[in-house]
Amino acid sequence: MSDNLDQGKQEALDKAFQNTNVRSFEKECNKDSNVKKVIGVVSGKGGVGKSLVTSLMAVLANRKGLKTAIIDADITGPSIPKSFGIKKKAMGTEDSIIPVVSENGIEVMSINVLVEDETEPVIWRGPVIAGAVQQFWTDVIWGDIDVMFVDMPPGTGDVPLTVFQSLPVDGIIVVTSPQELVEMIVTKAVKMASVMHIPVLGLVENMSYFECPNCKEKHEIFGRSKVDEIASAFGIGSTARIPIDTKLTELVDEGKIENVDSDWLDDFFDEIIKA
Ligand code: ADP
């Protein structure tokens, strides 16, 4: 049972779903794969930095010597290959796909490493998207992976839910920005995770503040951060704050996210990985 909801709410949810095995669509991964931990990264909407947080967490895992992989499940807005500067396409055999590997050794699978033209929009419906993500799990030869991060489709609607049902996610990280109705998004994410019996491991507030490059003062330009309050209200153990930093935008645009040298997620990462 998740620690994130009180007993009464959890019982009500369990009752509502008692005849439904919500994770019944989960499939075995490829016989040549052994993935020890799967962490999903979710957000209430697009553009809040979910892919950035996925990339940063993967970079930290890789630096700690963990065999790291990323599934870019944000099929209609795939941005992982770009932030790692990956231009290669995935190789495939008759019935399996070999992931592409970043400069420092992170294995990546994304719709963008399969399609010829990355600028073509993917206009698939939910079940097809979920099917593609499921194939990233079942048909990709991942090999031995210590930790896999999944950049989930944004929101808590039908598509992310179906994707969740297809993958054996061990825990999720929720990414928000201060402009959002954070409490509502966290409530929805916690409920979704609770239905799936997946713990919410951490909450990241992206674009949390701006640090003046001259005086080093931190300006909370979207208002005072509520991330710790909200996390503690929902029993979420770990939080982190990432500032607005043009260095990050540049690293993503240049495909050099592996060169990042900031420590905003260091403690958060250590807590999440041992959770
Ligand atoms: P999402 O995955 O939630 O759609 P992204 O991670 O793709 O969002 O971020 C959207 C854009 O905002 C990207 O161009 C990214 O580089 C930029 N961005 C995200 N977070 C920050 C930040 N803290 N500082 C500067 N730019 C950021």
Side-chain angles (χ1 to χ4, degrees):
M1 185 189 287
S2 161
D3 295 335
N4 301 113
L5 278 187
D6 64 40
Q7 186 84 13
K9 282 187 194 153
Q10 182 68 53
E11 275 168 12
L13 280 167
D14 283 346
K15 202 165 166 217
F17 284 86
Q18 65 189 352
N19 295 322
T20 323
N21 180 356
V22 285
R23 302 190 74 173
S24 61
F25 303 109
E26 251 175 48
K27 295 277 191 301
E28 293 284 311
C29 68
N30 190 282
K31 65 177 172 25
D32 296 315
S33 303
N34 175 23
V35 182
K36 294 203 186 99
K37 194 174 214 158
V38 180
I39 297 176
V41 184
V42 308
S43 66
K45 59 173 188 177
V48 298
K50 177 175 53 61
S51 306
L52 176 78
V53 171
T54 308
S55 304
L56 293 175
M57 291 294 282
V59 167
L60 286 176
N62 179 253
R63 284 185 189 162
K64 301 258 175 186
L66 300 173
K67 282 284 293 163
T68 308
I70 302 178
I71 285 185
D72 186 358
D74 191 353
I75 300 280
T76 54
S79 46
I80 297 293
K82 183 173 183 277
S83 52
F84 284 88
I86 292 172
K87 300 209 169 65
K88 298 169 276 197
K89 297 292 167 193
M91 308 275 279
T93 64
E94 191 91 328
D95 52 7
S96 51
I97 314 166
I98 298 156
V100 291
V101 181
S102 75
E103 209 165 297
N104 292 349
I106 299 172
E107 294 185 19
V108 173
M109 183 46 66
S110 166
I111 195 75
N112 268 3
V113 302
L114 294 175
V115 294
E116 276 306 313
D117 182 0
E118 287 174 21
T119 58
E120 277 291 309
V122 177
I123 41 175
W124 297 341
R125 290 186 192 277
V128 183
I129 293 176
V133 176
Q134 195 168 72
Q135 278 184 282
F136 289 173
W137 176 250
T138 54
D139 297 358
V140 173
I141 302 177
W142 292 105
D144 286 320
I145 295 293
D146 294 313
V147 60
M148 172 184 276
F149 294 95
V150 184
D151 188 0
M152 297 294 288
T156 47
D158 187 41
V159 178
L161 193 64
T162 318
V163 170
F164 259 120
Q165 288 177 318
S166 327
L167 300 175
V169 180
D170 294 300
I172 64 168
I173 295 170
V174 182
V175 182
T176 62
S177 71
Q179 305 102 305
E180 293 178 285
L181 296 166
V182 181
E183 199 164 344
M184 193 179 77
I185 285 155
V186 175
T187 306
K188 284 187 177 176
V190 166
K191 279 187 182 158
M192 178 168 78
S194 171
V195 166
M196 309 292 298
H197 298 279
I198 301 170
V200 179
L201 303 173
L203 179 62
V204 177
E205 186 175 73
N206 186 32
M207 308 186 205
S208 184
Y209 56 91
F210 175 74
E211 188 175 301
C212 171
N214 302 322
C215 69
K216 301 286 168 207
E217 196 182 329
K218 289 179 183 172
H219 301 273
E220 294 181 304
I221 43 188
F222 299 114
R224 190 181 60 84
S225 171
K226 288 201 284 182
V227 65
D228 287 326
E229 261 167 56
I230 291 174
S232 90
F234 285 93
I236 301 171
S238 301
T239 60
R241 297 175 68 192
I242 302 177
I244 300 167
D245 191 329
T246 50
K247 255 190 328 200
L248 281 172
T249 332
E250 281 161 23
L251 286 168
V252 168
D253 286 348
E254 290 163 10
K256 299 251 181 255
I257 199 65
E258 287 178 297
N259 294 351
V260 66
D261 65 354
S262 314
D263 58 3
W264 308 304
L265 291 183
D266 286 3
D267 295 342
F268 180 80
F269 175 85
D270 291 342
E271 288 164 22
I272 296 291
I273 214 69
K274 62 174 195 276

